[in-house]
Amino acid sequence: EAQLVESGGGLVQPGGSLRLSCEASGLTFRIFWMSWVRQAPGKGLEWVANIKEDGTETNYVDSVKGRFTISRDNAKNSLSLQMNSLSPEDSAVYYCARFDFWSGFPGMDVWGQGTTVTVSS
Amino acid sequence: DIQMTQSPSSLSASIGDRVTITCRASQSIARHLNWYQQKTGKAPKLLLHAASYFQSGVPSRFVGSGFGTDFTLTISGLQFEDFATYYCQQSYSPPYTFGQGTKLEIK
């Protein structure tokens, strides 16, 4: 069974940095795009970033461009999100998700349980 | 960026009812529309991709339709386990924006 497990969340001061990780098992990690999605407390879902199978292409939502970096290590079945210059608006549960394609139509069909990031002084 | 607008934002219904949630894109996205279900404290679950194609294991009472800018998710014969929040998401181009969500509650 495909499984994703996030880690690395916690409390960080405004302006600080945090690195999230997502470990994959039960799926051939290297052949899938992967995404990060976040959800602020009591709010809706926000797609944050995704990365191509080989790491050569990435996309970001405008609000995190230049501050967040998505990366992957296919040898370790691992996805990361480096978050810098954090602000309280970045406080959220962060999910990693498999970004799969069905006949050219993508969707996120496997999700982790989420890791919570709180940005506060 | 493509904006996704869902309506209603909340909906109250009874077991056995039929409900419809709509999602409108700010520009044409062809059939690049996904529907997710999220229960409190849980990760989202992909229900439908390409506007109307079921993910494995999704009951047939969930029906999606639409093309271009206007889409609907209809749930027929509501079951207890269907009370949750539903999100549409465009998968046409990044950033892959979500609608604001529709909370389906028991009447």
Side-chain angles (χ1 to χ4, degrees):
Chain A
E1 178 187 359
Q3 189 172 10
L4 300 171
V5 179
E6 302 95 336
S7 60
L11 175 63
V12 60
Q13 292 189 338
S17 298
L18 208 57
R19 187 177 183 88
L20 305 183
S21 295
C22 172
E23 304 298 322
S25 60
L27 59 96
T28 309
F29 182 76
R30 68 180 185 278
I31 67 172
F32 292 103
W33 284 71
M34 296 295 295
S35 278
W36 287 98
V37 174
R38 67 184 179 182
Q39 186 168 36
K43 302 297 185 183
L45 300 171
E46 180 180 38
W47 178 87
V48 173
N50 70 353
I51 185 168
K52 195 176 179 180
E53 302 97 325
D54 59 4
T56 59
E57 184 177 340
T58 58
N59 298 290
Y60 298 91
V61 67
D62 283 350
S63 60
V64 308
K65 280 181 183 176
R67 300 189 301 122
F68 289 13
T69 301
I70 187 172
S71 61
R72 65 192 297 160
D73 184 339
N74 286 343
K76 296 182 178 180
N77 291 340
S78 178
L79 177 73
S80 296
L81 186 67
Q82 177 66 43
M83 304 185 296
N84 299 330
S85 303
L86 286 162
S87 71
E89 290 70 38
D90 297 314
S91 295
V93 174
Y94 284 73
Y95 296 99
C96 70
R98 183 172 77 174
F99 195 79
D100 203 358
F101 290 78
W102 297 273
S103 300
F105 292 92
M108 292 175 287
D109 66 332
V110 180
W111 294 68
Q113 84 288 352
T115 188
T116 301
V117 173
T118 304
V119 185
S120 174
S121 54
Chain B
D1 297 357
I2 300 172
Q3 307 303 316
M4 305 300 294
T5 304
Q6 272 182 251
S7 62
S9 57
S10 65
L11 182 56
S12 184
S14 300
I15 300 292
D17 282 356
R18 176 184 178 186
V19 298
T20 297
I21 299 168
T22 65
C23 181
R24 174 165 288 176
S26 60
Q27 66 181 74
S28 178
I29 56 172
R31 296 180 59 84
H32 291 263
L33 192 282
N34 302 320
W35 288 99
Y36 297 85
Q37 176 193 67
Q38 187 181 32
K39 297 183 178 178
T40 303
K42 300 294 186 182
K45 174 185 176 182
L46 179 62
L47 297 176
L48 303 167
H49 70 272
S52 62
Y53 288 83
F54 297 105
Q55 292 303 111
S56 175
V58 173
S60 57
R61 61 180 180 273
F62 291 88
V63 176
S65 65
F67 185 91
T69 60
D70 294 310
F71 301 87
T72 61
L73 173 67
T74 298
I75 313 170
S76 300
L78 276 172
Q79 302 295 308
F80 179 78
E81 59 267 27
D82 300 336
F83 292 93
T85 301
Y86 292 86
Y87 294 92
C88 62
Q89 181 208 23
Q90 64 85 12
S91 58
Y92 185 79
S93 65
Y96 296 108
T97 40
F98 287 90
Q100 78 276 20
T102 296
K103 187 172 184 178
L104 177 56
E105 298 175 304
I106 298 178
K107 186 182 290 183

